[in-house]
Amino acid sequence: ENEVSNVQGFDSNSIQEWHAETKKGMESLLEANKNSKDALVNAHDEAVAAQVQRDEERARNLMLEEDYNRAQEELKQLQKRMKDSESQNAERLKQAKIDTESVANVRDDMSSRLQK
């Protein structure tokens, strides 16, 4: 009975106005809810895209590290071969000097024999 008396205090226009305002409020809430859901979906998509990009960067980083390690190993091998080559060249030069001195001694010996 209390409710009936509350409704009786309103005329048809005020009920229609209240209905229109309530409908507008609900539509606004529904639009805000839809916008929030859209924002959530977009944020999720962006997070997934960022994760994919991060994974791609990690894979690229691993490949670069492998390339770097391979290049470091090649550099070590080349340095070792260069050092070995330098040692061999130094030994050859030493032997060439010995041979040159030996030939010079033989030449000097022959020259002194010829002069006698």
Side-chain angles (χ1 to χ4, degrees):
E1 198 173 313
N2 233 357
E3 292 175 13
V4 173
S5 63
N6 283 343
V7 173
Q8 288 175 352
F10 291 104
D11 63 1
S12 174
N13 285 339
S14 57
I15 290 176
Q16 286 177 351
E17 286 176 17
W18 173 82
H19 180 264
E21 288 177 25
T22 303
K23 184 178 178 182
K24 222 184 232 187
M26 287 301 290
E27 287 172 349
S28 176
L29 286 173
L30 288 172
E31 183 67 26
N33 186 35
K34 180 187 175 299
N35 291 341
S36 294
K37 285 181 179 179
D38 290 346
L40 177 64
V41 168
N42 288 339
H44 181 265
D45 291 347
E46 289 174 6
V48 168
Q51 188 173 10
V52 167
Q53 185 177 5
R54 185 197 71 205
D55 292 344
E56 288 173 353
E57 289 298 322
R58 279 186 179 168
R60 267 191 291 252
N61 190 33
L62 286 173
M63 287 189 297
L64 287 173
E65 284 180 9
E66 288 174 5
D67 289 346
Y68 174 78
N69 290 336
R70 197 171 17 257
Q72 286 292 92
E73 188 59 35
E74 286 177 23
L75 178 62
K76 286 178 186 176
Q77 290 174 1
L78 288 172
Q79 287 173 334
K80 184 182 181 312
R81 286 191 350 211
M82 190 169 80
K83 187 176 178 181
D84 292 345
S85 180
E86 286 173 352
S87 295
Q88 289 173 355
N89 289 339
E91 189 61 36
R92 287 180 190 149
L93 181 60
K94 182 179 173 184
Q95 188 61 45
K97 286 180 181 179
I98 291 171
D99 292 347
T100 302
E101 288 176 11
S102 178
V103 168
N105 287 339
V106 168
R107 183 197 65 207
D108 290 346
D109 187 45
M110 293 289 243
S111 178
S112 85
R113 284 185 189 176
L114 289 173
Q115 289 177 359
K116 289 184 184 181

